[in-house]
Amino acid sequence: MKQREGFQPHSVSGVEMRKRQAAHIEAPPQAPGQPRPNTCCLCWCGCCKCLWNEDRIERSERQTCTKMDSIEAAEEQHPSLEEVLSWARSFELMLRSLEGREIFREFLRSEYSEDNLLFWLACEELKKETSPSVVDEKARIIYEDYVSILSPKEVSLDSRVREGINQSLAEPSNRMYEDAQLQIYTLMHRDSFPRFLNSTVYRDLLASRRRTCLDT
């Protein structure tokens, strides 16, 4: 079998790829009964039961903001008090929530680290792809945007993980960023998330939800 060629640096631009992503978001919902792609996710929390995978299929039509750079286009959401409280108990539950990701991104932006979340979301999208040509394009965009030493949004990865990515560039796969994604997830969980829970962003939202409950 002839080995698939590696990256074609100038075949499809990042702008063109994002236009395709936008068209995908605007596409009509999947017809009832039509099989969905067989996707799965790594259990980031290390537990034996991955809650993310159980819920992502039912919420896939609503969670359109997992596309790169598309969270900003989401309409204003109003999470319930119970949901906001659940985020403090589980980082994974917060990431599963569209509203949770938006609030967390707002906090990360204040710390100049929102690219960590955007990178993690981009990797999630890449794992859903099965077409070799689409995988090549998305993997290249992620590399140019977040991993390359010349990228404008470079995320902090150790040398071992970065070298593994570089070796995968000749023949990209939809899971080539798994180690890097886990490393960034761990960084956000252990470093950013505790500060988020003590931030005015989260505390103000929690107070607002409590006032709403009292008013009703």
Side-chain angles (χ1 to χ4, degrees):
M1 181 180 296
K2 184 178 179 181
Q3 185 178 13
R4 180 155 51 89
E5 295 181 358
F7 277 80
Q8 300 297 325
H10 303 292
S11 58
V12 180
S13 69
V15 173
E16 291 172 344
M17 188 58 212
R18 290 180 175 83
K19 287 181 179 179
R20 296 185 186 183
Q21 292 174 333
H24 176 73
I25 293 174
E26 295 170 0
Q30 191 172 17
Q34 182 177 349
R36 290 187 172 90
N38 182 20
T39 60
C40 64
C41 80
L42 181 65
C43 183
W44 302 108
C45 60
C47 63
C48 60
K49 182 177 181 182
C50 183
L51 297 176
W52 175 281
N53 193 51
E54 294 174 357
D55 190 62
R56 68 188 303 179
I57 294 177
E58 289 82 2
R59 293 167 61 91
S60 59
E61 288 79 13
R62 295 200 302 118
Q63 291 183 347
T64 57
C65 283
T66 56
K67 299 293 181 182
M68 284 186 293
D69 299 329
S70 65
I71 292 182
E72 292 175 340
E75 296 180 357
E76 183 180 0
Q77 303 294 324
H78 299 284
S80 66
L81 174 60
E82 181 180 20
E83 184 174 8
V84 174
L85 287 171
S86 74
W87 301 343
R89 297 191 297 269
S90 171
F91 181 59
E92 184 181 351
L93 286 177
M94 185 193 68
L95 285 186
R96 288 172 54 193
S97 165
L98 170 61
E99 298 87 351
R101 292 195 304 273
E102 290 176 337
I103 296 298
F104 187 53
R105 182 180 178 182
E106 179 183 343
F107 168 75
L108 293 178
R109 187 182 296 118
S110 71
E111 293 198 335
Y112 305 99
S113 59
E114 70 172 316
D115 290 333
N116 288 334
L117 179 60
L118 295 179
F119 171 75
W120 187 85
L121 292 173
C123 294
E124 281 295 290
E125 284 303 310
L126 177 63
K127 289 193 295 186
K128 299 176 184 177
E129 300 297 343
T130 57
S131 167
S133 62
V134 176
V135 168
D136 282 356
E137 293 168 357
K138 286 192 173 184
R140 179 182 58 80
I141 289 172
I142 293 174
Y143 182 82
E144 293 178 352
D145 283 352
Y146 301 101
V147 181
S148 168
I149 59 174
L150 300 177
S151 63
K153 308 174 183 178
E154 185 179 3
V155 293
S156 179
L157 300 172
D158 64 36
S159 58
R160 177 190 62 82
V161 170
R162 195 177 296 275
E163 179 60 26
I165 293 173
N166 290 335
Q167 291 177 2
S168 301
L169 293 179
E171 191 171 359
S173 73
N174 61 353
R175 307 189 80 86
M176 64 178 283
Y177 291 107
E178 270 193 340
D179 287 347
Q181 189 184 15
L182 177 58
Q183 191 169 98
I184 294 303
Y185 176 97
T186 303
L187 176 65
M188 292 190 297
H189 187 191
R190 294 180 179 176
D191 185 56
S192 302
F193 184 55
R195 291 198 302 274
F196 165 73
L197 295 178
N198 289 314
S199 69
T200 57
V201 173
Y202 178 74
R203 291 182 177 275
D204 287 351
L205 176 63
L206 188 59
S208 173
R209 294 297 89 204
R210 283 172 172 159
R211 285 195 300 268
T212 300
C213 288
L214 292 174
D215 292 341
T216 57

